[in-house]
Structure formats: C-alpha cells, structure tokens
Amino acid sequence: MKRILITGVGGPTPRSFAISLKKYSKFSDVKLFATDVNPLAIGLYQRDLFEKSFVVPLAKASNYWNEIEKIVNENQIDFAVILPEAEVMEWCNKERNSKLPCPAFLPSVEMAELLIDKSRMTEVLNDSGLVPKSVTFDRNISDFSEIFTVLKGNFWVRSSSGTSGLGSLKVEDEEALRNWIQINPNVQTFLASEFLSGRNLACKLLYENGKLLRAACAERVNYIMAKVAPSGITGNTSFGRLLNEPELVDVATKAMDLLFEATNSAKHGFFTVDFKEDGDGRPYITEVNVRHVAFTQCFAAGGANFAEATISLLTSDQEFDKSFKMYEFEKDLIFLRDVDNLPIIMKETDLYTKS
C-alpha cells in the first residue's frame, strides 16, 4: 500500500486530487497524508481522506525542508503530490539542485518559472498567434496611452502572476483602470489583454519523459461565489461541461511545444492550458497552470482520472498504457459544484427548466 503526501490541502485542488484517488481510482487503498500552512485549512481535518495531517512552514521559510523531510521520513512517504504554485517552485528548485526527500511528478524549474509568470509566457507565444494581444505594465504607471492604443475598446486586466482570477476585471476606460490598480495594492505587475467574448476552456495535458500521454478538455461556464468578485471570476467553477475537442488539444500541444523549446525543457509534467475564445470561436491561450485544477474530480467522475494516471507513473504501474489517449466523455456531460458539496455529474439535457 503506497503512502502519498499531498500538499496545500486548504485549497480545493489538492482535496479534489485526493477524492479522485479515493473515490474513483484503482488506488483507493492508498494512505494519504496532508500538509498546509494554515491550521484552519479544512483539508487537514478530513479524516475520511487523510491518515495524518501536518501544519508546515511557508515554502520559502528556512525550516520548510526540515519539516517536510521529517514528515516524509517518519511516515515512510513513497511519493509527494505538490499542488500550490509556491511549493511547486520550491520542489522544482530542490530537484534541480539536490535530491528530493521522496519522488514527485514535476516539470522543470525553468518551465515552472515561465508559466507562473503569465506575462513572460505570453511574450514567448506572442508571435505564434496563440495568445491575445497583451500589454504588461507596472502599478506605478502614469501614462496609459500604449495600453489603450494597442487594446482598442474593452480589455481584460489581471495580475501577471497568481491564481483564482487575482486582480481580474473587464476595463472600459482609464478611470476604471486607475481605480482598479489602487484597490489592488498587492499586485505589482498587471497584464492587460484584448477582451474575448467566447467560451472559457481548459485542456489538461499529461507528459512523461518527452511524450504526451493523456489529454482532456472542459468548459468553465459559471463560478462559485461569482457575485463577490467584480470580474465574476473566482477561479472555482460551479458549472462546467466535459468536452470532446481534439482540435483544442492540437492547439494546446502546439503552444506547449513552443514553451518547452523556449525553456529547453523535457516534455514532462502535468499542465492545464486555459483558453478564451473570441467572438468567432477561435481559442486564445490566457495562461498555463503547472498543476491540476479544482474540478479534477469532475474529470475523474467522467472517466478522465488524471490523479490515477499520475500515481500510475510514479509507481511505474506496468498496467498503465503509455500510448497517447484523449479522454472522451459521454455527450452532453456537465458538472455542478458548490462550496460544501461533492460535485454532481449529469446530462445537461436533464437540467430543470424555468417555468
């Protein structure tokens, strides 16, 4: 029985990964161990998922590795699943410079650094036609003319790094932009991009040692607690669709090829490529996550269990087929999510209609 450490369980993504293993995979008998920096993190107390839980220092803290190595050694951890971006970076750096306390499935540190910085990623893909027109600017900017010249009309502004729609807003004029900068004092660098009115899509890609093994697509339609965010985007999808779109996989892998080349990295790791379509249905890449996303268990429930695939690779599972597979879902399949409930997978045609 394998013993797996999952970090950052205060967030929905690590818990979603754990549920994908415990509820939907052939590895349901694994023993999972949890960490988080916040003693109030709910995942630390979910005994149905985790054998033991530990509060750990921030990834950048001087005693972080001492605590992690102690947990790994004392609990005989076989593998680690690292999900918060700050810890992904820390583990990638350690893997490059020394030996990890236990194996983990990680991209190169160069790739992680590039993707966490959305502005740099956009710059690398700028000539490919795969990203929207964009302008990066510092919060202390005084002249907005370049932004409004390049991005005529409405545009989307957000933090150049971070998750959950940090600093995101649809901007229509200079006054709104100035006000938005002021009420986001913790954002130093912003990325402004042309506003795209189409679908919000995600393509998940699993690579190992130079080869693409698995892919799957979904659409984000609505967000949990959308009303509390001026942008309507909180980073947690409440309603989405599981899609069969090989053309989207083609676009995502084309972009990833360019990013791997730019960082001189091996094709290795798990990535979520986010797209927004324009009014004509053409998809443009808005960011690439170096991790799973919060509706991972919805994919698993629909038959695309990336958590199981990841553990299969870590355990060198001989039954795991390493030929490429794009997961295909039943037509019309959707998922519904909320804060304190497990997701529901169902047919969209079975939704109730308004009277």
Side-chain angles (χ1 to χ4, degrees), residues 85 118 121 125 130-132 158 162-165 196 199-205 216 218-220 223 233 235 237 248 251-252 255-256 259 271-277 283-295 299:
E85 287 185 352
K118 299 179 182 67
M121 183 216 73
L125 297 178
L130 300 175
V131 292
R158 58 180 172 159
T163 59
S164 300
L196 302 169
R199 295 184 301 169
N200 184 338
L201 305 172
C203 179
K204 298 165 84 74
L205 302 171
E219 177 187 1
R220 300 178 176 96
Y223 288 87
I233 294 178
T237 310
L248 195 68
V251 177
M256 291 302 299
L259 295 168
F271 307 91
T272 303
V273 185
D274 287 350
F275 292 86
K276 197 77 163 61
E277 291 181 331
Y284 291 90
I285 293 171
T286 56
E287 65 180 290
V288 181
N289 292 292
V290 291
R291 55 176 176 77
H292 296 258
V293 293
F295 56 90
F299 275 99

Side-chain angles (χ1 to χ4, degrees), residues 247-308:
E247 298 85 0
L248 195 68
V249 175
D250 290 342
V251 177
T253 53
K254 179 180 178 182
M256 291 302 299
D257 286 346
L258 294 171
L259 295 168
F260 284 124
E261 181 181 359
T263 56
N264 194 28
S265 299
K267 295 180 179 180
H268 188 83
F270 182 87
F271 307 91
T272 303
V273 185
D274 287 350
F275 292 86
K276 197 77 163 61
E277 291 181 331
D278 64 14
D280 297 320
R282 180 177 176 178
Y284 291 90
I285 293 171
T286 56
E287 65 180 290
V288 181
N289 292 292
V290 291
R291 55 176 176 77
H292 296 258
V293 293
F295 56 90
T296 285
Q297 63 179 301
C298 300
F299 275 99
N305 198 329
F306 285 99
E308 180 183 84

Side-chain angles (χ1 to χ4, degrees), residues 37-55:
V37 300
N38 182 3
L40 301 179
I42 188 172
L44 293 174
Y45 307 97
Q46 290 183 290
R47 304 305 181 200
D48 57 328
L49 288 179
F50 302 109
E51 298 291 319
K52 290 183 181 179
S53 299
F54 307 90
V55 178

Side-chain angles (χ1 to χ4, degrees), residues 62 99 118 128 133 137 150 168 176 224 239 267 281 309 324 334:
S62 60
K99 185 179 179 181
K118 299 179 182 67
S128 68
K133 291 179 183 178
F137 63 95
V150 175
S168 295
I224 294 172
F239 163 42
K267 295 180 179 180
F324 172 70
I334 66 168

